[in-house]
Amino acid sequence: MRIKTILIVFVTCAGMLIGGSLSMAQGNGQTDGVGTSSGNIIFPLPGEAITDRQPYISIKLPKPDPPLDMSTIKLFLDGDEVTTETQVSLEYIFYMPQNPLSFGTHNVLATYQDTNGKTVVPLAWSFRLVKKIAPTVRKRAPVVRSNEVVTTGKYTANVKLIELNGAERYKANRSENEIKYQEGLDKTGSFDFTHRFYGKTLLGHYDRSVEQLTGRANDRFKFRYIDPYIARGNYDITFGDFQMSKRDFSESTIFGVQMRGLYLLRKYDRRGYNRFTFFTGRSQEPHDGRHKRYTTGFKLDRRFTPKLSAKLTALRSTERSLSSSTDNPIQDSLVSLSTVYILDKNLTWDSEIAVDNHREDAPSSQYDNGADLYLRSGINYRTGNFIFRGEHKSIGPRYTPTVLGRVVPDKKGNYGKVVFIRPSRKIALTTSYEKYHDNLHHDLPDNITDETRESISTAVLNYGNIFPRFNLRYSKYYTKSRERVQIPNTLRSESTTFMLTTTKRFHNTSAFTGTTVINTFSRYDIDRLVYGTSSSQNYMGRNDTRSWRFSTRYKSFANMSYSTSYNKAYAWSYSENSSGKSTSVTYGKSNTDSYSLQLNIIPFKFITNLNYRRTGKKVYSLESIEGAVLSGAPLEKQHTVTFLYYLNKADKLKLEIIDYDKQYRYIANKLGTYEEKTFELGYSTEF
């Protein structure tokens, strides 16, 4: 477990302890009908009529005594939670819908609790989205036009001492990469600030973490400038580390990447239809930084008519390998044009065409260099509670932009999806089916075209407080060569995944609140048959996982949780080559138990967190008729004790002690057993 993850988990647990359960914040929401409540609405104002279909919803948080528990803040738009898409600082909440809102009335709800677990009166109001607006209706939020200048922030510093018992013995029997943390002294921390001035906002963030296996320190920073008003340019500028995903661009241009550089977004009209996005920087590769990739590009969103809109994306990417002395630069020049046309209120057509010119100094084959196309067209139809989606996609053999990371070239196929959602959202059903062929141009050495079919179905049943909530997911993936199986370089593979999650939330009582029980069962099956030029292999496997989790809160004194997970895996393999035939059977099982207890010993003063986790695993192999043979039996135990002491409402100290013990009970690697102890001292302050 990385040190950054440990800090986030335990600081969040402490916040939940002080702040109470999230469900209480939702259940006790109140409003007086005109939108007046705790906090300050910045934009849009209650009852205001606006024309911007992607408004920058802004809220100034209240300052109760004791202060807010930031982990309990939730934002809802028209009944749907949008917290994960919301920018939450120490003083403000900002949210901009990713898709244009419909015309009419929209409801906003913000809920939160203070650090003593008391629900603060929520902030709730409505605004209207109209096509045209009368000058007399328009209002400005006085807080935005004021000359108020406010700066808030938080600083955290941590020092972690790591001691490894039996280190020399461990190094003699195991690779050092298996050690959780390298022995030594780690120094980590973070710094956040929010500077609000004349209706504009400047956000800053810096943190340092240490990787679990390599022991390498990672520094991340970000500065973000926000000015939501068109008259001043409506800029949203980020400098530092930022994420880009296909939701912001498309799956043919940027599927998902973390970059360090400059990101600029500007809206040219209040409706948000015409926007310009520019980005440049270096992508951040995980762990070892094997590649050095620089990417620069832009995106232009334009709405020509109420029914026709388009998006133009262009980028250039250069990648160099750092893993060897032989450096073969790879360059991509990519241009994409996507359009959306609204045929009527229920029918929408969309398409995308992209061209990528891929160049390598030392290509592995003649097919690596050159320009090629990505084509996609789809149609959406909505009627009643149903949504239908149909799509056709074609990818050329040379369409391999490195910035995408995992695109499959030389592919053509169709995709369909059906969604059914009840207005009450108590029932939601989704099913999708995709069929495609790859290696159509026979550019790969095996000269075989494969046909793949994939289907995914999900169901959600949520009938209030009487019955539990059910989440069901089933998927099937089937691939088969178009040539007759058993000739060289052919295959047949079929895998299925099933998962059922049951969630039951119990009514709150005077003593216990937020009581929840979650049960999950999942099964994965695979059957694969592969024929090579001189060998063949038949493989079958099954993996079952069952887990339970129970959590509750006792008054304002304690949070308790228990979880257990049991996994069982089975694999059978038969192979045949020129040397003969062989059969192997592997069977494994593992069990993980976790206990957690947070005690609020002195309210808003002294908190203790106790955590215990145990994971045991056994692996058996069967290679003869004599029976199963134990081939591995690792056992992991971890005890964690965390103390949080508030010097005052802004400053606190943290002491965390972790004892991690890994045992190799199998005789062949028993000497690899080791124990690791960490002592971490932290200090944080808010201003």
Side-chain angles (χ1 to χ4, degrees):
M1 182 181 296
R2 298 183 181 180
I3 185 170
K4 183 176 180 181
T5 304
I6 294 177
L7 295 178
I8 294 175
V9 169
F10 288 103
V11 171
T12 304
C13 290
M16 291 178 62
L17 169 62
I18 306 172
S21 62
L22 297 175
S23 59
M24 292 179 63
Q26 298 182 48
N28 295 337
Q30 297 178 357
T31 179
D32 58 7
V34 295
T36 57
S37 56
S38 63
N40 195 338
I41 301 170
I42 299 178
F43 182 81
L45 292 175
E48 184 177 11
I50 63 174
T51 58
D52 188 353
R53 297 189 65 182
Q54 290 181 286
Y56 208 77
I57 300 174
S58 308
I59 301 173
K60 184 176 182 180
L61 294 172
K63 295 183 178 180
D65 188 10
L68 292 180
D69 180 355
M70 306 301 291
S71 66
T72 65
I73 295 177
K74 282 193 173 186
L75 185 68
F76 299 84
L77 178 61
D78 296 331
D80 296 328
E81 185 178 354
V82 295
T83 308
T84 57
E85 304 173 11
T86 302
Q87 176 70 39
V88 179
S89 66
L90 294 176
E91 191 176 359
Y92 295 92
I93 299 178
F94 301 105
Y95 170 70
M96 184 175 68
Q98 297 297 323
N99 299 312
L101 299 177
S102 60
F103 293 106
T105 302
H106 295 275
N107 302 310
V108 183
L109 171 66
T111 64
Y112 20 64
Q113 292 180 332
D114 62 27
T115 50
N116 277 350
K118 182 181 178 181
T119 299
V120 179
V121 178
L123 194 62
W125 82 98
S126 301
F127 64 92
R128 291 184 297 116
L129 194 61
V130 297
K131 296 182 179 180
K132 294 183 179 180
I133 186 169
T136 56
V137 178
R138 184 140 191 91
K139 296 182 180 180
R140 297 286 185 178
V143 67
V144 175
R145 293 303 186 186
S146 69
N147 294 329
E148 179 185 13
V149 178
V150 179
T151 302
T152 59
K154 182 178 181 180
Y155 170 74
T156 301
N158 301 279
V159 178
K160 188 174 184 179
L161 176 64
I162 304 171
E163 294 182 353
L164 187 62
N165 297 335
E168 296 301 325
R169 181 181 63 200
Y170 181 84
K171 293 178 181 179
N173 293 274
R174 281 284 174 273
S175 168
E176 291 187 15
N177 289 335
E178 295 185 18
I179 301 177
K180 291 191 63 177
Y181 290 103
Q182 301 296 322
E183 193 170 28
L185 187 67
D186 294 339
K187 297 176 287 293
T188 62
S190 64
F191 177 72
D192 295 271
F193 73 87
T194 300
H195 181 62
R196 183 78 176 178
F197 57 104
Y198 307 110
K200 294 167 282 189
T201 304
L202 178 63
L203 304 173
H205 171 78
Y206 167 81
D207 70 79
R208 161 167 283 198
S209 62
V210 176
E211 290 187 358
Q212 178 173 313
L213 296 178
T214 64
R216 186 181 67 179
N218 288 326
D219 295 302
R220 297 284 186 266
F221 72 94
K222 180 170 69 174
F223 296 96
R224 185 179 181 188
Y225 169 79
I226 303 171
D227 188 350
Y229 286 87
I230 299 297
R232 295 195 293 256
N234 194 279
Y235 287 103
D236 189 343
I237 304 174
T238 299
F239 175 72
D241 297 305
F242 55 89
Q243 294 276 353
M244 296 191 298
S245 66
K246 68 176 182 180
R247 186 180 64 179
D248 305 313
F249 294 86
S250 68
E251 65 176 16
S252 70
T253 53
I254 294 180
F255 193 88
V257 64
Q258 177 176 306
M259 295 187 64
R260 173 171 292 179
L262 177 67
Y263 183 91
L264 181 147
L265 171 64
R266 183 180 181 184
K267 293 167 62 175
Y268 287 93
D269 57 74
R270 294 197 57 84
R271 298 182 180 182
Y273 296 130
N274 301 298
R275 293 182 294 176
F276 175 77
T277 304
F278 172 81
F279 59 92
T280 182
R282 173 186 172 182
S283 62
Q284 303 294 297
E285 298 295 333
H287 301 298
D288 53 5
R290 292 184 302 271
H291 298 89
K292 197 172 188 177
R293 182 189 303 127
Y294 293 92
T295 304
T296 300
F298 72 88
K299 182 188 69 167
L300 180 62
D301 294 86
R302 178 69 186 273
R303 189 186 189 195
F304 298 97
T305 68
K307 292 186 175 182
L308 178 62
S309 59
K311 178 170 60 179
L312 175 66
T313 303
L315 62 88
R316 181 175 177 83
S317 178
T318 301
E319 178 180 287
R320 292 179 179 271
S321 174
L322 302 179
S323 58
S324 64
S325 58
T326 303
D327 195 351
N328 301 322
I330 302 175
Q331 294 183 351
D332 284 288
S333 299
L334 191 152
V335 178
S336 168
L337 176 64
S338 58
T339 58
V340 177
Y341 185 73
I342 303 175
L343 301 173
D344 58 43
K345 64 178 182 179
N346 295 325
L347 188 61
T348 303
W349 174 78
D350 60 89
S351 66
E352 180 178 8
I353 177 172
V355 182
D356 173 49
N357 188 10
H358 185 82
R359 295 292 177 185
E360 298 185 27
D361 284 3
S364 58
S365 72
Q366 59 177 323
Y367 303 103
D368 291 337
N369 284 338
D372 221 326
L373 291 175
Y374 171 100
L375 301 174
R376 177 188 59 80
S377 62
I379 190 167
N380 288 294
Y381 179 70
R382 180 190 296 267
T383 175
N385 300 327
F386 287 91
I387 302 175
F388 299 91
R389 167 74 178 175
E391 182 179 287
H392 175 77
K393 185 186 301 182
S394 176
I395 305 175
R398 296 179 179 86
Y399 190 86
T400 56
T402 58
V403 71
L404 285 178
R406 61 175 185 176
V407 67
V408 179
D410 201 5
K411 171 182 175 181
K412 180 184 291 186
N414 300 303
Y415 171 83
K417 184 177 182 179
V418 180
V419 179
F420 172 80
I421 302 177
R422 292 277 297 171
S424 62
R425 297 187 178 271
K426 293 182 179 180
I427 299 179
L429 305 175
T430 302
T431 183
S432 64
Y433 179 80
E434 182 177 14
K435 178 182 178 180
Y436 62 87
H437 298 85
D438 55 15
N439 196 24
L440 294 170
H441 296 80
H442 304 296
D443 293 341
L444 299 180
D446 56 25
N447 200 32
I448 297 295
T449 298
D450 295 329
E451 179 183 279
T452 300
R453 304 176 184 180
E454 182 179 11
S455 62
I456 301 175
S457 300
T458 63
V460 177
L461 303 177
N462 185 15
Y463 275 89
N465 297 323
I466 300 177
F467 300 102
R469 174 189 175 100
F470 296 96
N471 291 71
L472 176 67
R473 177 185 173 90
Y474 176 81
S475 63
K476 184 174 182 178
Y477 189 88
Y478 180 80
T479 299
K480 181 180 180 299
S481 300
R482 297 183 68 178
E483 302 291 340
R484 182 176 60 87
V485 179
Q486 295 183 349
I487 70 172
N489 299 316
T490 58
L491 63 86
R492 176 185 58 79
S493 178
E494 180 179 356
S495 62
T496 59
T497 303
F498 171 83
M499 177 179 291
L500 175 63
T501 302
T502 305
T503 304
K504 175 59 179 175
R505 305 184 186 277
F506 296 89
H507 293 284
N508 295 334
T509 66
S510 59
F512 293 94
T513 58
T515 304
T516 305
V517 177
I518 302 176
N519 171 247
T520 301
F521 171 77
S522 64
R523 167 169 290 181
Y524 173 76
D525 289 313
I526 183 171
D527 183 4
R528 184 173 65 239
L529 180 63
V530 181
Y531 285 88
T533 55
S534 59
S535 63
S536 63
Q537 183 187 45
N538 190 358
Y539 175 85
M540 292 187 296
R542 167 170 288 185
N543 191 306
D544 288 342
T545 301
R546 297 176 176 85
S547 64
W548 287 88
R549 176 175 174 81
F550 168 81
S551 61
T552 188
R553 172 185 173 90
Y554 177 71
K555 295 185 177 180
S556 61
F557 178 71
N559 273 16
M560 299 164 284
S561 67
Y562 167 74
S563 63
T564 181
S565 176
Y566 178 76
N567 175 267
K568 182 172 62 175
Y570 169 85
W572 175 86
S573 176
Y574 172 82
S575 60
E576 182 177 349
N577 52 39
S578 58
S579 301
K581 304 177 181 179
S582 63
T583 303
S584 65
V585 178
T586 303
Y587 171 78
K589 57 182 180 180
S590 64
N591 180 251
T592 300
D593 294 312
S594 298
Y595 306 87
S596 179
L597 175 64
Q598 298 93 35
L599 301 175
N600 190 13
I601 299 176
I602 304 177
F604 200 62
K605 193 68 175 178
F606 183 61
I607 300 172
T608 300
N609 180 19
L610 308 174
N611 187 281
Y612 171 76
R613 178 176 60 85
R614 178 189 183 277
T615 300
K617 183 178 181 180
K618 289 187 177 182
V619 179
Y620 299 88
S621 60
L622 177 63
E623 299 181 354
S624 65
I625 60 174
E626 298 178 357
V629 178
L630 181 67
S631 58
L635 176 65
E636 296 179 80
K637 297 180 181 179
Q638 179 169 306
H639 302 78
T640 304
V641 181
T642 306
F643 302 98
L644 294 175
Y645 183 77
Y646 287 79
L647 302 174
N648 49 55
K649 294 181 180 180
D651 304 329
K652 68 179 178 180
L653 293 174
K654 183 186 77 170
L655 173 63
E656 186 171 85
I657 303 173
I658 301 177
D659 180 51
Y660 175 78
D661 184 16
K662 187 165 187 178
Q663 303 176 18
Y664 291 90
R665 297 173 290 178
Y666 179 52
I667 189 63
N669 51 17
K670 191 173 183 179
L671 293 178
T673 296
Y674 76 99
E675 183 181 10
E676 189 170 79
K677 293 183 179 180
T678 61
F679 304 88
E680 182 175 350
L681 181 63
Y683 169 77
S684 66
T685 182
E686 298 180 5
F687 57 89

